[in-house]
């Protein structure tokens, strides 16, 4: 890895700026990867292009990545069957009898996102696909659905006591303690860090607040007004990553809820079993408990198994219930997979830009800047939170940020204080919270892309409407880390203060934007669907 210094920020910044400016995310991501290739090749554009292609190939055949790409295609096939057979419409009609308002649909999406806590990828799939027909009927914008989907994915999975995340997180903490020769339980430290993950906690609360009050600010206010008043869940000219209605045509009118419910449940339970099986099952559980099983599992392979089982069952059901012929079912599957081409292209480029940022040293450069500043123990959480936010936003990876920052932040906090106490716990929590910030709202994050994909939202519209809310939760976190630095160590008091700050910020911003756009209090009217 060459030392590019400040220029190491160029690849991610090019991708992010171009994505927001041109609204052409594929072009923007490829440009970022290509700039990184040219830099690594000594600024030779020809050699840099071949390096770019090498990264694309390497990421396409990576064991984890290829499973996710195949999983996406299978999900597309399953969604094609469920949608075209009328299963999704049948569920939408059944739930609409109980959930008929935009408030009810928004809150239901939030609740479902919290309940599907065990994996962020699975969360985006289930929430997006389940809620899309319901939110469309109740005139909730696709941008709002994508925000709900995204904000209850990584933030929820990162906090859950049982998830695909916890094994990885605990393992990184344990490795850092081992290197320091510290005899302290990694899982205990993980638990102590949870109350200090201010961003994740308040991001989840803010979704509920926005969904319940219908008070919005930023671009989301315009998006929700458009959906309520004009019935347009997508803006004119939007390019959703998943264009189900266009690709598959209108669904059959006589669909059955069983064609939706059983394949989705199969996806969930086969995925959970896959995690149990690939994680070592009972043998590992007997020694390391459920956390050990999850930490040892191959989540990508489990998701692949789950999606394949989902497609097989959906295919069987549509034929057995005589909702589709074999030819119609095959056509729906192929058209469903077609929906995923653009999304998978973006995923591949997002992984490739991570290769580019690794090659030019983006993350180490940012970390070295912080280390050279020299700070007291109480200020470590604030600093590592800010650095983790920047790294995760510019690289699009939370797990990568964790692997970079935890081996630095834990020794830094421990080295200054000399003990495993609040400073260490808060530093651990700050790394996880800051990493999830980028995973949550960076345009090059895989879960942000998947939230756009399964919510059927234009990707840049999703990012631009979500960022103000993400920054609100992050700003509250920054204030709390400052209070921690100046001596307030009680996490319960900090969380109460944070909640008050969040309520105040939401009220002020919705009032301000409401006046700006001529919408009293920034409150969008509640829409009630007709019978």
């Amino acid at each position: 890895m060459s030392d590019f210094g400040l220029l190491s920020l160029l690849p991610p910044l090019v991708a992010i700026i171009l994505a927001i400016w041109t609204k052409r995310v594929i072009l923007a991501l490829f440009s970022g990867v290509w700039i990184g290739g040219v830099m690594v090749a000594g600024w030779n554009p020809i050699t840099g292009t071949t390096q770019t292609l090498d990264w694309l190939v390497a990421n396409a055949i990576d064991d984890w990545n290829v499973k996710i790409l195949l999983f996406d295609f299978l999900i597309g096939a399953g969604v094609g069957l469920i949608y075209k057979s009328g299963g999704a419409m049948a569920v939408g009609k059944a739930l609409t009898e109980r959930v008929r308002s935009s408030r009810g649909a928004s809150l239901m999406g939030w609740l479902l996102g919290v309940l599907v806590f065990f994996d962020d990828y699975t969360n985006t799939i289930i929430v997006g696909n389940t809620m899309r027909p319901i939110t469309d009927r109740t005139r909730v914008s696709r941008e709002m659905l994508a925000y709900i989907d995204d904000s209850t994915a990584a933030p929820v999975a990162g906090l859950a006591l049982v998830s695909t995340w916890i094994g990885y997180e605990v393992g990184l903490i344990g490795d850092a303690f081992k290197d320091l020769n510290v005899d302290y339980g990694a899982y205990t430290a993980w638990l102590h860090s949870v109350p200090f993950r201010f961003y994740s906690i308040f991001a989840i609360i803010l979704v509920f607040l926005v969904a319940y009050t219908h008070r919005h600010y930023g671009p989301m206010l315009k998006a929700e007004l458009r959906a309520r008043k004009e019935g347009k869940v997508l803006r004119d000219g939007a390019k959703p990553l998943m264009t189900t209605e266009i690709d598959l045509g209108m669904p059959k009118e006589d669909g059955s809820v069983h064609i939706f419910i059983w394949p989705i449940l199969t996806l969930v339970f086969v995925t959970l079993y896959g995690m149990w099986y690939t994680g070592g099952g009972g043998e590992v559980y007997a020694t390391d408990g459920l956390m050990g099983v999850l930490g040892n599992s191959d989540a990508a392979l489990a998701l692949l198994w789950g999606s394949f089982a989902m497609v097989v069952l959906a295919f069987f059901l549509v034929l057995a219930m005589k909702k589709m012929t074999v030819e119609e079912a095959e056509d729906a599957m192929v058209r469903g997979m077609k929906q995923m081409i653009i999304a998978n292209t973006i995923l591949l480029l997002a992984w490739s830009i991570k290769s580019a940022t690794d090659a030019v040293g983006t993350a180490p450069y940012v970390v070295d800047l912080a280390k050279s500043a020299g700070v007291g123990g109480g200020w470590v959480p604030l600093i590592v939170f800010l650095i983790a936010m920047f790294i995760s936003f510019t690289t699009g990876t939370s797990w990568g940020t964790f692997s970079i920052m935890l081996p630095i932040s834990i020794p830094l906090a421990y080295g200054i204080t000399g003990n495993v106490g609040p400073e260490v716990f808060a530093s651990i929590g700050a790394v996880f919270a800051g990493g999830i910030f980028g995973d949550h709202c960076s345009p090059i994050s895989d879960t942000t892309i998947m939230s756009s994909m399964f919510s059927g939202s234009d990707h840049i519209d999703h990012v631009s409407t979500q960022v103000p809310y993400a920054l609100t939760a992050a700003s509250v976190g920054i204030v709390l880390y400052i209070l921690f630095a100046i001596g307030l160590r009680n996490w319960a008091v900090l969380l109460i203060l944070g909640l008050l700050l969040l309520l105040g910020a939401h009220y002020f911003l919705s009032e301000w934007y409401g006046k700006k756009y001529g919408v009293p209090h920034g409150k969008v009217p509640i829409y009630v669907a007709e019978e």
Side-chain angles (χ1 to χ4, degrees), residues 58-376:
N59 280 286
I61 63 175
D62 174 82
D63 182 66
W64 173 278
N65 293 354
V66 76
K67 290 171 187 172
I68 294 298
L69 293 173
L70 289 172
F71 156 74
D72 282 344
F73 279 126
L74 285 170
I75 285 291
V79 169
L81 285 170
I82 292 170
Y83 172 83
K84 189 64 177 177
S85 66
M89 179 176 285
V91 168
K93 288 179 179 177
L95 290 175
T96 301
E97 295 175 3
R98 296 177 174 83
V99 182
R100 298 180 54 234
S101 70
S102 54
R103 172 182 282 170
S106 299
L107 289 174
M108 183 179 176
W110 176 84
L111 179 61
L112 187 59
V114 172
L115 292 175
V116 185
F117 58 82
F118 56 86
D119 181 71
D120 55 330
Y121 283 6
T122 307
N123 181 297
T124 60
I125 299 157
I126 292 175
V127 174
N129 284 322
T130 303
M131 294 305 304
R132 192 168 62 249
I134 301 168
T135 53
D136 282 359
R137 183 174 172 80
T138 53
R139 293 193 179 184
V140 175
S141 67
R142 293 282 180 88
E143 293 95 327
M144 181 63 183
L145 175 58
Y147 165 57
I148 294 170
D149 197 355
D150 210 354
S151 300
T152 55
V156 169
L159 290 172
L161 295 176
V162 177
S163 75
T164 54
W165 287 53
I166 190 171
Y168 178 69
E169 293 175 336
V170 170
L172 289 174
I173 296 170
D175 289 343
F177 283 165
K178 184 178 179 180
D179 291 341
L180 291 169
N181 294 315
V182 171
D183 185 18
Y184 197 94
Y187 184 64
T188 303
W190 182 91
L191 285 173
H192 281 299
S193 77
V194 169
F196 294 105
R197 302 188 194 191
F198 302 130
Y199 175 76
S200 298
I201 293 169
F202 292 119
I204 297 166
I205 293 174
L206 184 57
V207 181
F208 174 83
L209 193 60
V210 169
Y212 181 76
T213 65
H214 270 35
R215 293 173 67 119
H216 293 276
Y217 52 89
M220 188 71 83
L221 178 56
K222 288 185 175 181
E224 283 288 88
L225 274 176
R226 180 201 68 230
R228 298 293 194 285
K229 293 187 175 182
E230 302 175 39
K232 296 179 179 178
V233 295
L234 288 164
R235 66 171 172 83
D236 292 335
K239 296 182 178 179
L241 290 189
M242 194 173 185
T243 53
T244 304
E245 294 83 357
I246 296 172
D247 291 336
L248 291 167
M250 293 305 295
K252 294 181 179 293
E253 294 290 337
D254 60 341
S256 168
V257 295
H258 294 287
I259 297 175
F260 182 95
I261 293 171
W262 296 114
I264 293 295
L265 287 177
T266 299
L267 168 67
V268 172
F269 286 111
V270 172
T271 298
L272 288 174
Y273 174 75
M275 291 176 184
W276 170 266
Y277 182 83
T278 60
E283 185 177 342
V284 173
Y285 179 79
T287 56
D288 301 324
L290 188 56
M291 301 306 122
V293 175
L294 289 171
N296 196 46
S297 68
D298 186 339
L301 183 59
L303 286 166
L304 184 61
W305 291 353
S307 59
F308 181 75
M310 169 192 175
V311 173
V312 171
L313 182 59
F315 185 79
F316 171 77
L317 286 175
V318 299
L319 296 181
M321 299 177 73
K322 297 182 179 179
K323 300 298 180 182
M324 304 176 80
T325 65
V326 173
E327 291 78 13
E328 287 176 327
E330 183 182 25
D331 182 66
M333 290 168 62
V334 172
R335 288 176 179 269
M337 286 189 281
K338 174 189 169 185
Q339 294 184 97
M340 314 306 283
I341 291 175
I342 293 176
N344 272 351
T345 301
I346 294 174
L347 273 179
L348 178 58
L349 287 168
W351 291 323
S352 298
I353 203 167
K354 173 61 170 59
S355 300
T357 56
D358 286 345
V360 300
T362 303
Y365 171 73
V366 177
V367 170
D368 287 343
L369 281 179
K371 289 176 68 176
S372 63
V375 292

Side-chain angles (χ1 to χ4, degrees), residues 210 213-217 469 506-507 510-511 521-524:
V210 169
T213 65
H214 270 35
R215 293 173 67 119
H216 293 276
Y217 52 89
Y469 296 113
H506 175 251
Y507 177 82
S510 58
E511 288 284 335
H521 314 297
K523 188 170 184 177
V524 177

